[in-house]
């Protein structure tokens, strides 16, 4: 049976070249980068090279980059470490209700520590208005955290505009961007985009699980959350995951080398898939804008290109997401119900609620997330499967 993996926002398959490089590091260049002998120097060189490659992609200095264990850890260090270090300036933070739990749960923790959190509402496509974010900035605001790309519906936030506006209102405010879903799919240049803290994750970009990246701009102070041997300037003690870091850098390099071409393919696949599945009755595409900034109606191609290239969120009337997920699985197609990247139990998604998805569709939403390993044939196969399965399942659903 054909296997079609459309859960790339949950995690990705490691590039073979990345696995090969990591294997070599595990078996041959396995030293501790802090060791003074040759094996250590070799490992340290791998780490240094990885930072250089990633710094080149982000157009920052290697010394601004830290390796962590995952996107969640990068978000936690940035948000909690940033807020605690800045609390003498105030205890107000701004974010959105559509952030990943790595951000929302960090906010909850800070709330217990006496911080006040303002959640800026999103529009029907999951986007915040930069004016509204800036208007919420106060003299005691210490941190603004807005994600680059939403993991459930693929909404893209106007990061550069938000950065510009919040800094104008209060230059001391730290701007944190969760770019776990955006890194590898978009050009991200923190210095030009007024970003102070940025989180990315290896396993979303065809590198392994267990490695994350944190960018910290010059001059930004973070309260230390991890204590130990003082690695990585003491911000993130613990022996570095050398193979993971090298793997993340190689995978990122491969993605960014051909970014334009890959983006075109991903957008073409997204558009084709939407054209196909909307031929089925009672299918709603979530997060797709209908009109542009000028209020004019958008073509499907224009609308699709205003969203993330790889996330397609569809709600199927009178179909339970979990049942559809397993019916697709029977055909070798792997997807997520809503967003299952935080747990393997489907849950009522905060993002779907925030975009005011009708109540009856909350439990009928599937996320298809593509990647550079997918093909147009995968999308055709999946669309054909849906055309067969959805009417079939509806016959067995009581209305
Ligand atoms: N932020 C976003 C937007 C995500 O999609 C995810 C994972 O799904 C994370 C953070 C957490 O990343 P990690 O799985 O590497 O901890």
């Amino acid at each position: 049976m054909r296997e079609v993996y459309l859960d790339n926002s949950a995690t990705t398959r490691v590039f073979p070249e990345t696995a090969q490089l990591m294997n070599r590091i595990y078996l041959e260049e396995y030293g501790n980068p802090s060791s003074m002998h040759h094996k250590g120097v070799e490992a340290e060189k791998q780490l240094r090279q990885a930072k250089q490659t990633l710094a080149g992609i982000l157009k920052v200095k290697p010394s601004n980059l830290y390796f962590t264990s995952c996107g969640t850890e990068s978000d936690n260090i940035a948000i909690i470490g940033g807020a605690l270090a800045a609390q003498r300036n105030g205890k107000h933070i701004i974010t959105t209700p559509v952030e990943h739990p790595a951000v929302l749960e960090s906010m909850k923790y800070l709330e217990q520590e006496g911080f006040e959190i303002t959640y800026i509402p999103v529009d029907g496509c999951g986007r915040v208005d930069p004016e509204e974010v800036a208007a919420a900035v106060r003299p005691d605001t210490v941190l603004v955290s807005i994600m680059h790309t939403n993991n459930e519906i693929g909404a893209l936030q106007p990061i550069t505009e938000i950065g510009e506006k919040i800094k104008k209102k209060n230059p001391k405010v730290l701007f944190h961007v969760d770019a776990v879903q955006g890194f590898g799919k978009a050009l991200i240049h923190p210095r030009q985009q007024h970003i102070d803290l940025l989180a990315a994750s290896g396993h979303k970009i065809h590198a392994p699980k267990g490695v994350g990246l944190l960018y910290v701009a010059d001059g930004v102070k973070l309260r230390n959350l991890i204590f130990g041997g003082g690695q990585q300037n003491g911000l993130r003690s613990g022996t570095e995951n050398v193979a993971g870091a090298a793997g993340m850098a190689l995978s990122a390099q491969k993605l960014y080398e051909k970014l334009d071409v890959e983006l075109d393919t991903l957008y073409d696949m997204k558009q084709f898939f939407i054209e196909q599945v909307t031929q089925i009755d009672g299918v709603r595409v979530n997060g797709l804008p209908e009109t542009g900034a000028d209020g004019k109606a958008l073509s499907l191609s224009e609308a699709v290109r205003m969203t993330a290239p790889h996330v397609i969120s569809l709600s199927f009337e009178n179909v339970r997401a979990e049942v559809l997920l397993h019916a697709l699985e029977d055909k070798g197609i792997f997807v997520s119900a809503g967003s299952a990247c935080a747990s393997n139990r489907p849950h009522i998604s905060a993002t779907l609620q925030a975009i005011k998805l009708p109540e009856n569709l909350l439990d009928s939403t599937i996320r298809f997330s593509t990647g550079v390993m997918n093909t147009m044939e995968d999308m055709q196969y999946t669309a054909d499967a849906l055309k067969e399965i959805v009417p079939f399942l509806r016959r067995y659903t009581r209305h």
Side-chain angles (χ1 to χ4, degrees):
M1 187 170 48
R2 194 185 177 100
E3 206 173 88
V4 178
Y5 183 76
L6 290 177
D7 205 8
N8 288 278
S9 284
T11 199
T12 55
R13 184 174 179 217
V14 173
F15 284 138
E17 295 88 335
T18 300
Q20 271 161 20
L21 168 67
M22 292 182 61
N23 212 33
R24 196 185 81 210
I25 295 173
Y26 286 138
L27 298 178
E28 294 167 27
E29 299 170 33
Y30 51 80
N32 184 324
S34 298
S35 293
M36 288 167 76
H37 50 67
H38 173 66
K39 282 279 172 210
V41 173
E42 221 171 46
E44 202 271 331
K45 192 173 154 211
Q46 284 290 355
L47 260 191
R48 203 163 3 105
Q49 262 177 7
K51 276 194 186 170
Q52 245 162 25
T53 302
L54 291 161
I57 291 169
L58 293 167
K59 296 198 174 155
V60 299
K61 288 181 288 184
S63 58
N64 294 121
L65 296 182
Y66 297 83
F67 287 114
T68 64
S69 66
C70 57
T72 300
E73 188 189 337
S74 298
D75 281 333
N76 274 242
I77 296 179
I79 295 169
I80 301 173
L84 293 181
Q87 62 185 322
R88 248 188 275 145
N89 296 333
K91 293 189 99 172
H92 178 236
I93 297 176
I94 297 169
T95 190
T96 81
V98 298
E99 301 298 315
H100 188 272
V103 171
L104 294 177
E105 294 297 317
S106 297
M107 296 298 168
K108 274 195 207 157
Y109 170 76
L110 287 170
E111 218 165 3
Q112 286 164 14
E113 296 298 303
F115 284 81
E116 183 194 338
I117 321 287
T118 299
Y119 295 88
I120 306 293
V122 294
D123 65 13
C125 302
R127 294 169 306 186
V128 285
D129 176 354
E131 295 289 354
E132 242 180 280
V133 180
V137 173
R138 317 187 306 216
D140 64 337
T141 306
V142 287
L143 179 79
V144 175
S145 177
I146 312 269
M147 75 200 318
H148 182 283
T149 301
N150 181 269
N151 48 304
E152 295 190 46
I153 57 170
L156 298 176
Q157 301 296 0
I159 293 300
T160 311
E161 227 182 313
I162 295 170
E164 238 164 55
K165 288 190 189 323
I166 60 171
K167 294 281 178 176
K168 204 179 263 178
K169 186 98 179 275
N170 179 352
K172 274 200 197 150
V173 143
L174 290 179
F175 187 26
H176 166 253
V177 173
D178 173 349
V180 169
Q181 294 289 342
F183 187 63
K185 310 278 182 346
L187 291 176
I188 302 176
H189 300 139
R191 279 153 49 89
Q192 278 104 306
Q193 296 180 283
H194 315 276
I195 299 168
D196 299 301
L197 297 156
L198 184 104
S201 176
H203 73 104
K204 312 287 185 181
I205 62 160
H206 304 280
K209 294 155 194 70
V211 62
L213 186 71
L214 172 66
Y215 161 78
V216 183
D218 283 342
V220 170
K221 292 202 169 52
L222 297 177
R223 171 83 73 83
N224 207 4
L225 304 181
I226 296 182
F227 303 91
Q231 289 92 339
Q232 304 200 73
N233 298 330
L235 176 66
R236 209 289 189 164
S237 280
T239 303
E240 299 89 339
N241 174 359
V242 180
M248 183 172 182
L250 179 59
S251 293
Q253 187 181 25
K254 287 175 66 60
L255 286 172
Y256 277 98
E257 257 164 22
K258 291 191 290 180
L259 187 68
D260 287 351
V261 183
E262 300 291 9
L263 284 183
D264 275 344
T265 310
L266 289 175
Y267 277 124
D268 286 348
M269 290 197 300
K270 182 168 180 171
Q271 184 176 338
F272 170 77
F273 188 59
I274 291 173
E275 280 163 356
Q276 290 289 312
V277 293
T278 47
Q279 291 169 13
I280 308 168
D281 284 342
V283 175
R284 174 189 155 123
V285 186
N286 301 311
L288 212 55
E290 283 170 8
T291 53
D294 54 6
K296 284 201 189 126
L298 296 168
S299 67
L300 178 61
S301 155
E302 288 168 333
V304 159
R305 278 163 180 76
M306 286 172 70
T307 63
H310 62 304
V311 183
I312 306 156
S313 169
L314 301 175
S315 298
F316 298 87
E317 278 173 27
N318 299 315
V319 176
R320 276 194 49 223
E322 206 180 331
V323 177
L324 179 53
L325 180 148
H326 290 301
L328 285 168
E329 185 177 9
D330 287 343
K331 292 197 176 283
I333 302 164
F334 301 100
V335 298
S336 275
S339 164
C341 63
S343 96
N344 48 18
R345 280 169 294 125
H347 63 288
I348 299 301
S349 136
T351 297
L352 298 179
Q353 285 175 307
I355 62 165
K356 301 195 170 63
L357 188 73
E359 192 98 353
N360 63 316
L361 295 180
L362 286 174
D363 197 21
S364 299
T365 302
I366 294 276
R367 178 186 70 183
F368 301 83
S369 50
T370 61
V372 296
M373 292 189 182
N374 290 119
T375 61
M376 211 50 127
E377 287 72 38
D378 289 343
M379 306 320 286
Q380 181 75 67
Y381 177 76
T382 307
D384 289 345
L386 285 166
K387 285 176 189 173
E388 183 191 322
I389 296 168
V390 169
F392 178 79
L393 290 180
R394 280 185 184 144
R395 263 186 265 149
Y396 295 94
T397 306
R398 271 191 239 136
H399 304 289

